[in-house]
Amino acid sequence: MKKIITISREYGSGGRIIGKKIAENLGYNFYDREIIDMAAEDSGLSPEFIEKTEQNISSGWLYNLLLGTSYAGTTAGATTQQIGTQSLPLADQVFNAERKTILSLTDKPSVIVGRCADYILRTSDTVDSKDLLNIFIYADFDDKVKRIMERQSMDEKAARKAVQQVDKCRANHYNTFTEDTWGDRKIYDLLVNSSTLGIDQTIEMLTAFIQKT
């Protein structure tokens, strides 16, 4: 059975709850928001800063330019890191902090959601590819909108806009910090449309699949 499962997901596809329930079914550790807190503790960046920075960028250098040095001064520990004569952009500091945290989670069976974990682990020399399973969860657009309307108490217009914007931000984040393209079928082991079976049966199907790997 695969030791490390990564879940990449479209907004509103149910990917987070699918990952959490799979972890519960298998007795694995589950990491999502927890990565922010762990990265913050290790790096000195504030959890609030990491959460805000994660996917609200199109590129690290541009985000740092827009942010300006004043933000670093108001964020606990968010000083620029010097590399030679160059400063590492704040967004890159966040990515590196989360990368270090994700790599530290591979000693125990785990399900890891988002944060480029599939790429980070797939390209790491310290992770055996035989232990890794990368899954991408997507869903029909109308189903995603409906789920966000219910979960966030939004009207349909706002939910449609949110789904489009968040998925665009996730793609920008992934495409900026990796050498791959978010959602490209060639880089995942499984792509699953959660609309086909519904959330509960998707969880059952993936749990059974992982148990057979």
Side-chain angles (χ1 to χ4, degrees), residues 51-92:
E51 186 170 21
K52 186 175 182 178
T53 304
E54 276 189 328
Q55 294 170 343
N56 294 329
I57 58 174
S58 57
S59 68
W61 70 267
L62 177 60
Y63 186 77
N64 195 58
L65 178 65
L66 293 173
L67 206 60
T69 56
S70 61
Y71 196 102
T74 60
T75 304
T79 56
T80 54
Q81 179 179 341
Q82 295 292 326
I83 299 180
T85 60
Q86 301 296 318
S87 295
L88 187 66
L90 295 173
D92 294 310

Side-chain angles (χ1 to χ4, degrees), residues 53 76 130 132 135 139 158:
T53 304
K130 295 179 181 179
L132 181 64
I135 301 173

